[in-house]
Amino acid sequence: MRRGIERRFNAVRLSGDTEALRHRGPLVVCANHPGWWDPAVFAWLQHHFFGHCHGYGPMEAAALRRYPLLEKAGLIPVDPDNPQSLRRFVRVARDVLRQGNVLWITPQGQFTDSRVRPVQLQPGFAHLVRHMPSVRLVPLAIEYPFWNENRPELLLRFGAPVSVDEGEGVRSVTARMEEVLTETMDALAQDTCTRDASRFTTFVQKQAGIGGIYDFGRRVRQWVRRENFQPRHDP
């Protein structure tokens, strides 16, 4: 999955503050859910920024049965229609959090365009972290826009970690996370619309250009003009 991220995207770029990346306690990362690549994004982030601990995440049990090796990679099976499965997921997830690990979730529950408002989250994560004051909830905004190259950008932004008050109700935790995730997504959208890479920290960037006859023609024109060939289309 990590190799796929680096092959398929023009660049991986991070917007905003990195306070969440410096935290060394248990984290539940609550991301928006814009597309198929989200689990691979979590694997890439876990590898690059949270190497001091392990990463886990839920996956529908029926799908996980088709890929049993993924359970060994940290995916926890859950059947949303089976109360016993849900209780087991909560028990396992709390165990891994008590060990100081990271749990990656997409509480929107289905693919949702990053522009859809209001942001609505399912409350399962709030049930999970009740009575766990050491856990921090971290909003993560993800976008996959095309800018000036033939591959999309992978653009990310973490919000500040949010603590859960002892005895705080599920509705309150859910509403607070909906608010901070919306703020994080809006801030990323503002940076995304500028198409200005200088507003981001860039971690991976592919050699750009379309290739083939198109780039050959550009090379010839710039050679005639005694200019150095620049494959990127950035202004």
Side-chain angles (χ1 to χ4, degrees):
M1 287 192 291
R2 297 196 305 266
R3 287 196 299 269
I5 289 289
E6 296 177 4
R7 285 199 308 266
R8 300 296 184 180
F9 289 90
N10 175 57
V12 179
R13 308 186 198 272
L14 184 65
S15 163
D17 187 31
T18 58
E19 178 185 353
L21 305 181
R22 298 189 293 270
H23 187 72
R24 288 296 180 266
L27 295 177
V28 177
V29 179
C30 299
N32 66 313
H33 199 15
W36 181 89
W37 279 102
D38 298 347
V41 171
F42 299 159
W44 190 92
L45 289 168
Q46 178 71 39
H47 177 75
H48 281 78
F49 299 117
F50 298 98
H52 62 281
C53 63
H54 298 292
Y56 297 83
M59 184 174 184
E60 189 173 354
L64 191 56
R65 282 194 292 270
R66 296 196 295 269
Y67 308 102
L69 284 177
L70 292 180
E71 189 167 357
K72 296 181 182 299
L75 288 170
I76 306 169
V78 59
D79 181 350
D81 299 320
N82 184 328
Q84 183 177 353
S85 175
L86 292 171
R87 287 193 293 270
R88 177 184 180 275
F89 168 73
V90 169
R91 184 173 66 253
V92 173
R94 284 178 173 169
D95 284 345
V96 301
L97 289 171
R98 290 189 183 102
Q99 295 168 27
N101 295 306
V102 181
L103 184 69
W104 301 85
I105 62 172
T106 52
Q108 286 176 303
Q110 61 185 0
F111 292 142
T112 306
D113 191 282
S114 59
R115 291 160 290 192
V116 171
R117 300 291 185 275
V119 173
Q120 296 181 320
L121 305 181
Q122 297 181 2
F125 74 94
H127 286 281
L128 173 65
V129 299
R130 290 186 70 194
H131 312 301
M132 297 189 71
S134 64
V135 174
R136 295 294 178 267
L137 298 168
V138 178
L140 170 63
I142 306 172
E143 290 198 25
Y144 306 115
F146 281 90
W147 279 358
N148 303 323
E149 303 298 339
N150 62 335
R151 294 184 181 90
E153 310 290 319
L154 169 51
L155 305 182
L156 306 163
R157 185 183 182 98
F158 285 98
V162 174
S163 60
V164 179
D165 297 332
E166 182 66 33
E168 185 176 4
V170 168
R171 288 186 179 181
S172 173
V173 174
T174 304
R176 285 206 292 139
M177 279 307 299
E178 287 174 340
E179 181 180 357
V180 295
L181 181 56
T182 300
E183 292 172 354
T184 306
M185 292 167 64
D186 288 346
L188 177 61
Q190 290 181 346
D191 286 343
T192 300
C193 288
T194 67
R195 296 181 175 232
D196 181 0
S198 69
R199 298 173 74 104
F200 297 80
T201 301
T202 299
F203 292 95
V204 174
Q205 184 151 332
K206 299 286 289 185
Q207 182 177 358
I210 293 176
I213 294 175
Y214 178 81
D215 274 350
F216 176 75
R218 293 174 63 213
R219 286 179 184 273
V220 170
R221 286 195 300 274
Q222 293 186 25
W223 177 76
V224 169
R225 297 170 184 166
R226 299 181 182 276
E227 299 173 348
N228 291 328
F229 177 62
Q230 170 54 261
R232 304 199 66 82
H233 293 81
D234 298 334

